[in-house]
Amino acid sequence: MIQVSHLTKFYGPRPAIQDLNFSVNRGEIVGFLGPNGAGKSTTMKILTGFMPASDGIAKIAGFDVFDQPTEVKRNVGFLPENPPVYTEMTVRDYLEFAATLHQVPRSELKRATDSAIERTGLGDVRNRLIGNLSKGYRQRVGLAQALVHLPKVLILDEPTVGLDPKQIIEIRELIKSLAGDHTVILSSHILPEVTATCQRIIVINRGRIVAEDTIDRLTTRMQKGLVYSMVVKNPMDDGIQALRQIDGVSHVSASGSKLTMELRPGSKEIRDQIVETAVTRRMGVLEFSAERLSLEDVFLELTTVEENSGRSSTEPNTALQ
Amino acid sequence: MRNIWTIAKRDFKSYFTSPIGYIIIALFMVITAKMFNATLGAYIDRSAMFQAYGKGPNIHEGIFRPVFGNMNVILLFVVPFITMRLFAEEKKQHTLELLITAPITMLEIIFGKFLSSVLVVLAMLLPTLVYPLVVMSTASLEIGPIFTSYLGTLLLSTSYMSLGILYSAMTDNQIIAAALGLFSILFFWLISWGAQAAGPVWGDVMQYASLITHFENFSQGVISTPDIIYYISFIGIGLFLTHRTLDSYRWR
């Protein structure tokens, strides 16, 4: 549904995105993840035809974004960073306007707006002025605008920014329900956001893709080894020493009553052994848990690794100036 | 065509959801009414005087030429305030992104916005039809010159608009857009004042470039092709530059 190859965009001499390659299949929800200023919005603006790329090709539903912008725009619904709403219009009028702009036939207009209002839960405010609505409702109006013409592709730039927790959950559910009929790309710099809604994520940093995979595979791939933590009543030195001697444990550190054990990569199941050692040494086990490397860590890992290598790769560019 | 109308309709409505549309029209009506009243009074006084000598100036020359002349000066000050919001506000509210990512062309957006402000000026001019009607109820008045004066006024004010819309596309600050628009319109209005001093060749050029010299014929009941061509090209250049400006906004 979406193919991007060698996409590059320069703002003056500064590259915003460099040589992006990815594709999104029909009905998929893909998360675009990266710190602020990584190039997420730039990529989205190019995909929606808001701005042209400096180099590379982007195709949506088989149409080239640069050569056939009108066909592309007909098939895309876009929610920019700031919901593009007219504060002096009512929700209804605004959605009708957006639908008309997106070539919804006159006879379908009412049905299209009604269904968009219903799907985004705007029924109560449909006749209110958008200017009088809260940020959360405006965001929903923006989302309703993006899907009022039932586009094949939805591009959502930080769709849940500024919403309260309940609304965030509702919007996430809504986005999930769109999968299948629509292909969705959404961007975020918040991890749980992407974990909760997307099937696949593309991590982008300093204008380059640093990882692209399903969430499960990404965490496993980055997992260097398991970490167990144990809270004990009396963390005696000889007990800790005994734990260190267990085969497969690479490192044990103690802070107060909390012991953290790192395992060598690829080691077999030894939880039984650890607990047994602690019990026989009478350390008084209170808690035992396995700590998985969370996506948060993966994300940090990826973006900080890139920071070092990224700096060296951009140096030739700055030298050229 | 449907796209242009969609844009124009929304923009026209939004003039009247805020006070600005009503304020502009009301002010315009008050000022022109006052002017018409004064000109009419002066004409009646003069014609009483002229009656002793025989023939006086005709009604169009005596009343409507000065009224239209003044109306154009007022429009000069009003039009920049009509056009200032067209793109500046879209940029400020981030709604320009909605328009640009919709399956319509930039040209359709510009024409739609332009049309909406033309409609506002038409709504301003409509009540002024009362003045010729009032005069016609008591005296005989030639329709021709009135018609051409309206045509000229419309062409002149749409020329103002093409400048105003250009500055609106350049900034997201409405006040700056209005101020720049006002100064540029004044420039193209007053440029003919320097024509006499500028020598034969430049004098002619400046005379030709001035917005107001081309209104003369219309106010006398003459529709001349060169004047129409001047106004149409003026509007065309303004809209072309607007298109360039907005396109460069996308490329940045």
Side-chain angles (χ1 to χ4, degrees):
Chain A
M1 191 52 75
I2 302 171
Q3 282 112 32
V4 171
S5 54
H6 305 292
L7 205 64
T8 302
K9 171 79 189 177
F10 282 91
Y11 290 121
R14 197 174 62 81
I17 51 169
Q18 282 184 69
D19 203 28
L20 291 194
N21 294 290
F22 64 89
S23 64
V24 180
N25 297 325
R26 196 196 175 89
E28 231 183 340
I29 302 186
V30 170
F32 234 51
L33 188 62
N36 291 325
K40 298 177 305 245
S41 290
T42 305
T43 315
M44 294 191 147
K45 281 181 177 169
I46 293 170
L47 286 178
T48 51
F50 181 77
M51 54 162 70
S54 310
D55 198 9
I57 298 168
K59 279 187 176 182
I60 290 183
F63 299 110
D64 189 292
V65 169
F66 192 75
D67 293 334
Q68 299 150 294
T70 317
E71 282 82 355
V72 167
K73 288 170 183 176
R74 200 166 290 167
N75 287 307
V76 171
F78 180 39
L79 170 64
E81 246 174 311
N82 304 293
V85 293
Y86 293 99
T87 45
E88 81 277 7
M89 290 175 100
T90 65
V91 173
R92 247 214 100 75
D93 287 349
Y94 170 72
L95 290 177
E96 254 179 43
F97 172 69
T100 319
L101 272 187
H102 285 90
Q103 319 296 322
V104 174
R106 199 175 299 253
S107 53
E108 300 271 302
L109 220 52
K110 201 179 143 37
R111 198 198 47 73
T113 19
D114 282 342
S115 99
I117 285 174
E118 196 190 318
R119 288 168 87 181
T120 47
L122 288 166
D124 296 341
V125 296
R126 67 174 74 199
N127 293 319
R128 298 253 308 263
L129 287 179
I130 297 175
N132 295 339
L133 296 181
S134 66
K135 167 86 176 121
Y137 270 112
R138 283 188 203 192
Q139 191 76 17
R140 286 201 221 187
V141 175
L143 197 60
Q145 163 273 127
L147 49 85
V148 70
H149 56 291
L150 302 175
K152 288 182 183 151
V153 175
L154 268 172
I155 297 183
L156 313 173
D157 200 349
E158 313 215 335
T160 59
V161 154
L163 302 185
D164 68 39
K166 187 167 166 281
Q167 292 169 330
I168 289 179
I169 293 167
E170 282 171 14
I171 294 286
R172 280 181 192 162
E173 288 307 314
L174 174 66
I175 292 170
K176 270 194 215 165
S177 74
L178 297 174
D181 301 338
H182 308 267
T183 308
V184 183
I185 294 193
L186 64 89
S187 79
S188 181
H189 59 270
I190 308 154
L191 272 156
E193 174 86 27
V194 180
T195 340
T197 41
C198 303
Q199 294 149 358
R200 199 152 62 89
I201 62 174
I202 295 171
V203 183
I204 177 169
N205 189 36
R206 293 181 169 250
R208 288 171 189 279
I209 292 179
V210 290
E212 182 194 348
D213 221 327
T214 60
I215 290 160
D216 288 344
R217 284 230 294 275
L218 210 57
T219 9
T220 354
R221 209 182 81 193
M222 291 306 295
Q223 214 151 2
K224 287 202 171 129
L226 276 167
V227 176
Y228 292 135
S229 72
M230 183 159 64
V231 181
V232 293
K233 229 185 272 167
N234 25 342
M236 306 160 304
D237 279 348
D238 61 326
I240 292 167
Q241 208 54 47
L243 286 173
R244 284 206 177 106
Q245 267 139 35
I246 298 172
D247 186 33
V249 175
S250 66
H251 184 71
V252 181
S253 57
S255 66
S257 61
K258 190 182 177 186
L259 308 178
T260 311
M261 286 145 285
E262 283 175 35
L263 267 61
R264 291 204 183 84
S267 68
K268 51 188 191 315
E269 178 60 60
I270 50 165
R271 267 176 280 191
D272 229 19
Q273 244 177 297
I274 295 173
V275 179
E276 209 182 313
T277 314
V279 170
T280 47
R281 296 273 166 175
R282 300 200 179 280
M283 291 169 86
V285 180
L286 299 173
E287 252 174 51
F288 184 82
S289 59
E291 279 177 8
R292 273 166 63 92
L293 200 59
S294 72
L295 204 57
E296 205 88 36
D297 303 315
V298 175
F299 178 51
L300 266 176
E301 187 98 17
L302 284 167
T303 48
T304 40
V305 164
E306 173 62 18
E307 214 157 274
N308 300 328
S309 60
R311 207 166 275 153
S312 57
S313 73
T314 49
E315 249 159 29
N317 282 328
T318 38
L320 277 176
Q321 301 166 34
Chain B
M1 204 52 223
R2 186 194 174 203
N3 296 334
I4 295 178
W5 183 239
T6 308
I7 302 267
K9 204 168 73 179
R10 199 212 71 82
D11 265 288
F12 183 72
K13 272 190 194 163
S14 81
Y15 279 112
F16 297 100
T17 48
S18 67
I20 183 156
Y22 298 102
I23 292 174
I24 285 177
I25 291 183
L27 273 178
F28 185 73
M29 279 169 70
V30 168
I31 297 172
T32 49
K34 192 82 196 149
M35 265 166 21
F36 173 71
N37 212 1
T39 322
L40 187 65
Y43 181 78
I44 290 168
D45 290 350
R46 263 189 302 163
S47 52
M49 199 173 73
F50 275 120
Q51 248 165 13
Y53 303 99
K55 209 168 167 287
N58 90 23
I59 295 179
H60 182 78
E61 287 287 317
I63 301 173
F64 287 101
R65 241 183 113 178
V67 166
F68 273 104
N70 291 333
M71 211 143 81
N72 285 326
V73 178
I74 300 169
L75 280 169
L76 185 163
F77 289 99
V78 169
V79 166
F81 290 94
I82 297 176
T83 52
M84 67 179 181
R85 48 181 299 286
L86 286 175
F87 283 104
E89 200 179 15
E90 300 268 354
K91 284 187 184 181
K92 195 146 220 167
Q93 291 201 351
H94 300 283
T95 42
L96 195 56
E97 292 178 41
L98 172 71
L99 301 183
I100 290 181
T101 57
I104 58 175
T105 64
M106 191 68 90
L107 219 54
E108 286 172 327
I109 300 174
I110 293 170
F111 278 137
K113 298 222 158 250
F114 186 62
L115 181 60
S116 78
S117 53
V118 173
L119 290 176
V120 171
V121 168
L122 279 177
M124 285 165 66
L125 291 177
L126 203 65
T128 64
L129 283 174
V130 170
Y131 312 143
L133 287 176
V134 163
V135 174
M136 274 162 81
S137 67
T138 54
S140 68
L141 177 67
E142 271 188 276
I143 298 293
I146 297 287
F147 171 76
T148 59
S149 298
Y150 271 113
L151 181 67
T153 304
L154 201 61
L155 281 169
L156 188 59
S157 46
T158 38
S159 305
Y160 300 160
M161 277 175 209
S162 71
L163 275 178
I165 201 171
L166 172 63
Y167 290 112
S168 183
M170 283 181 177
T171 166
D172 59 6
N173 186 321
Q174 297 193 26
I175 303 300
I176 291 178
L180 287 174
L182 192 57
F183 280 124
S184 317
I185 296 167
L186 270 177
F187 173 79
F188 277 105
W189 178 284
L190 303 178
I191 191 169
S192 63
W193 289 10
Q196 297 244 298
V201 178
W202 281 108
D204 282 355
V205 171
M206 284 162 74
Q207 196 71 40
Y208 182 79
S210 170
L211 279 166
I212 191 60
T213 46
H214 296 272
F215 183 72
E216 281 304 299
N217 282 331
F218 286 104
S219 74
Q220 289 167 338
V222 179
I223 300 178
S224 78
T225 325
D227 294 334
I228 292 186
I229 290 175
Y230 168 83
Y231 283 128
I232 302 271
S233 356
F234 194 97
I235 296 163
I237 292 170
L239 294 186
F240 171 76
L241 291 176
T242 308
H243 186 268
R244 295 286 87 195
T245 309
L246 288 171
D247 233 22
S248 81
Y249 174 74
R250 278 180 65 223
W251 283 84
R252 256 173 282 160

